Amino acid sequence: PLHIHLESGAEAVVIEHQSGDGSYWKDTNLVITLAENAQLRHYRIQADDPLSVVTDHTSVVLSHDARYHMVTVNGAAGFSRSDIRIKLMGKGASCDLSGLTVLDGKRHSDTTISVEHIAPHCSSSQFFKNALKGQSRGVYQGKIHVHKDAQKTDGYQLSNNLLLSPLAEMDVKPELEIYADDVKCSHGTTTGQLDETPLFYLMSRGIDPDSARRLLLEAFLSDVLDKIPEEDIRAIFDK
């Protein structure tokens, strides 16, 4: 596996770009450890070949007051599974996980996340969006596990999904497993088609149907890209 370790007080930005050509299976394993007060911003683009199978595993362990911020964009591999496991081991640690997936054809994408709140006064956020065309299928499984000593936990989880074809499928499984009694945790999910009201409004202003749908789709996805504060990096993801 590839290891990234930040010492106490260190800050870093990592841009991960996965790509390839042809039919292949790629399995990656990334292990991240953040010492006290360390901060890592991790941006991932998955642009593998439509004939490929991609599985990736990301494990992050955070110490006291460490912060981990991740944004991932996925939309190319024929079959992909992303397994992300976070452990908030030190008081005051926090993680912010966001991602968007755009699929067409018969592509399949599975995102599975487990966030373990082990120490008190920690916070976590999961914000993931999927837009599915053709016969594609998306899966989102997000879990927040609050251990008994993790008092004052703040955990948030949201999955919003668009079905752009009657044959597309989205499976969502949000989970909360809480053993502490002084916490603030929430989860939510929505799955549906494009809202007809703004679509009608745009068309009534002379915008053709395809352009109107594209504008609404871009607006739907932009919330995730706005999680990238660096303008030069966001421009790479916005292509």
Side-chain angles (χ1 to χ4, degrees), residues 96-111:
D96 187 329
L97 313 173
S98 302
L100 64 85
T101 299
V102 181
L103 302 178
D104 59 11
K106 294 184 178 181
R107 292 172 176 150
H108 177 110
S109 176
D110 183 327
T111 299

Side-chain angles (χ1 to χ4, degrees), residues 185-211:
C185 293
S186 64
H187 63 70
T189 180
T190 62
T191 300
Q193 299 176 336
L194 281 175
D195 192 337
E196 293 294 330
T197 301
L199 183 62
F200 175 80
Y201 175 82
L202 291 174
M203 292 171 60
S204 70
R205 295 300 184 270
I207 300 176
D208 64 87
D210 289 342
S211 297

Side-chain angles (χ1 to χ4, degrees), residues 53 97 100 144 153-154:
V53 174
L97 313 173
L100 64 85
I144 299 174
T153 284
D154 187 350

Side-chain angles (χ1 to χ4, degrees), residues 78-96:
F79 180 94
S80 66
R81 178 184 171 94
S82 183
D83 186 14
I84 302 170
R85 300 187 178 275
I86 312 290
K87 289 187 177 182
L88 303 170
M89 300 291 294
K91 181 180 178 181
S94 66
C95 69
D96 187 329

